[in-house]
Amino acid sequence: MIHVELLRMVRRPRTWMNLILLCALPIIVAVFIAVTNLVPAPGQGPAFLSAVLSDGSLYPAAGLAIVLPVFLPVSVAVLSGDGVAGESGTGMLRYLLTRPVARTRLLTAKLIGTMSFVVTAVILVAITSYITGVLAFGSNGLKPVSTSSTSGAVSSATTGVSIGTVSTSLSGTPLGTGQLIVRVAYGIGYISVSMLGVAAIALFLSTLTDSALGAALGALAVLVTSEVLATLDAAGSVKAYLPTNYWLAWIDLFRDPILWHNVVRGLGIQAIYAVVFLGLAWANFSTKDVTG
């Protein structure tokens, strides 16, 4: 069942359209920045923007930040919302469950399909953003740094320093190539887990309706409400428990040293949302009459 779901996803044109659009957004922004003078010069302005303009190898962080708040959640909500409701709306769900296919297995396949899309999308965005960033803003290239600050460097016996491809963290300290790759990998993993909550909410709503659009819009309404509450002082007591509150905590992975506090809390919040809404989806779907 999982193999069939993944194969169907690969064959759908909308899957490729979503991936192309997600990868194109950071490219468009980079081109706009490179050809205009509307942004501050490197070393000026916000620290995050300054770091990216100074070293294009950090642009994957900017690319992920571009797609995360809106475009990636929308794609996940639409895909996951279509999971059960789409099958039900076309009459395929009744056919699947009379073959028979276990309902738990079907839900698992839908979730794995959605998360496979998320991981693929995030990796492709990171790769295309890195290539775009280096071409548009350049890279620090090779320069001497101390062995204590760069883990992946190659020692130089004559100079007593390490030579390696070095980027600069958001804290202003050098990062070796190996360190940068590890930080990007951490970021990809964190963002993928962050979308698990969105997928769980949309999949639960998908078991309540025959309308894939309704399930997707319902999930997006939850996320918009979360974003609005996060801006209200009156909602300060619940802010830490909102599903979108720690989405951008992965930026702390590009600091030196890494600030783990919000990252860990973000992972914990997503785990709670995933367990609760996937449990609700299973409880509802396992007892739902779809064959009568």
Side-chain angles (χ1 to χ4, degrees):
M1 187 66 196
I2 295 174
H3 174 74
V4 172
E5 183 64 25
L6 293 176
L7 190 60
R8 288 181 59 194
M9 184 178 300
V10 170
R11 289 177 175 176
R12 286 177 174 173
R14 71 179 182 187
T15 300
W16 295 102
M17 287 300 300
N18 281 333
L19 292 174
I20 292 172
L21 289 174
L22 288 172
C23 292
L25 286 168
I27 296 175
I28 294 172
V29 172
V31 171
F32 179 80
I33 292 175
V35 300
T36 66
N37 295 319
L38 299 180
V39 295
Q44 302 178 7
F48 182 76
L49 180 59
S50 177
V52 171
L53 294 178
S54 300
D55 187 358
S57 61
L58 280 176
Y59 193 66
L64 294 173
I66 291 169
V67 302
L68 177 58
V70 177
F71 302 103
L72 184 58
V74 168
S75 298
V76 174
V78 170
L79 186 62
S80 193
D82 184 62
V84 175
E87 303 283 12
S88 181
T90 60
M92 183 62 69
L93 183 60
R94 182 179 302 177
Y95 169 75
L96 286 173
L97 296 181
T98 54
R99 292 180 58 180
V101 173
R103 299 191 181 199
T104 301
R105 187 178 178 185
L106 179 61
L107 280 179
T108 302
K110 296 297 183 181
L111 179 63
I112 291 177
T114 299
M115 295 312 298
S116 297
F117 168 83
V118 172
V119 173
T120 301
V122 175
I123 291 176
L124 289 178
V125 168
I127 292 174
T128 55
S129 296
Y130 177 82
I131 296 173
T132 303
V134 171
L135 292 176
F137 310 119
S139 176
N140 281 344
L142 297 176
K143 66 181 183 181
V145 294
S146 64
T147 54
S148 60
S149 61
T150 305
S151 62
V154 180
S155 297
S156 171
T158 58
T159 62
V161 297
S162 297
I163 304 297
T165 303
V166 179
S167 299
T168 303
S169 72
L170 298 184
S171 303
T173 55
L175 293 176
T177 301
Q179 289 177 307
L180 181 61
I181 292 174
V182 169
R183 306 289 178 103
V184 172
Y186 283 164
I188 290 172
Y190 183 84
I191 293 174
S192 299
V193 174
S194 296
M195 293 298 101
L196 182 60
V198 180
I201 293 172
L203 188 60
F204 165 61
L205 295 176
S206 184
T207 66
L208 300 178
T209 178
D210 293 338
S211 171
L213 180 61
L217 291 177
L220 292 176
V222 172
L223 300 181
V224 170
T225 301
S226 175
E227 292 285 10
V228 171
L229 290 176
T231 64
L232 301 178
D233 293 336
S237 59
V238 299
K239 183 177 180 180
Y241 306 101
L242 297 175
T244 63
N245 186 57
Y246 294 103
W247 272 2
L248 295 179
W250 61 270
I251 293 177
D252 290 339
L253 297 170
F254 289 85
R255 305 185 191 279
D256 192 28
I258 295 175
L259 303 180
W260 290 104
H261 181 264
N262 287 338
V263 173
V264 173
R265 289 184 64 88
L267 293 175
I269 290 296
Q270 295 305 320
I272 292 173
Y273 276 96
V275 170
V276 170
F277 282 97
L278 289 177
L280 291 173
W282 175 84
N284 180 68
F285 188 54
S286 63
T287 58
K288 184 177 181 180
D289 181 13
V290 296
T291 60

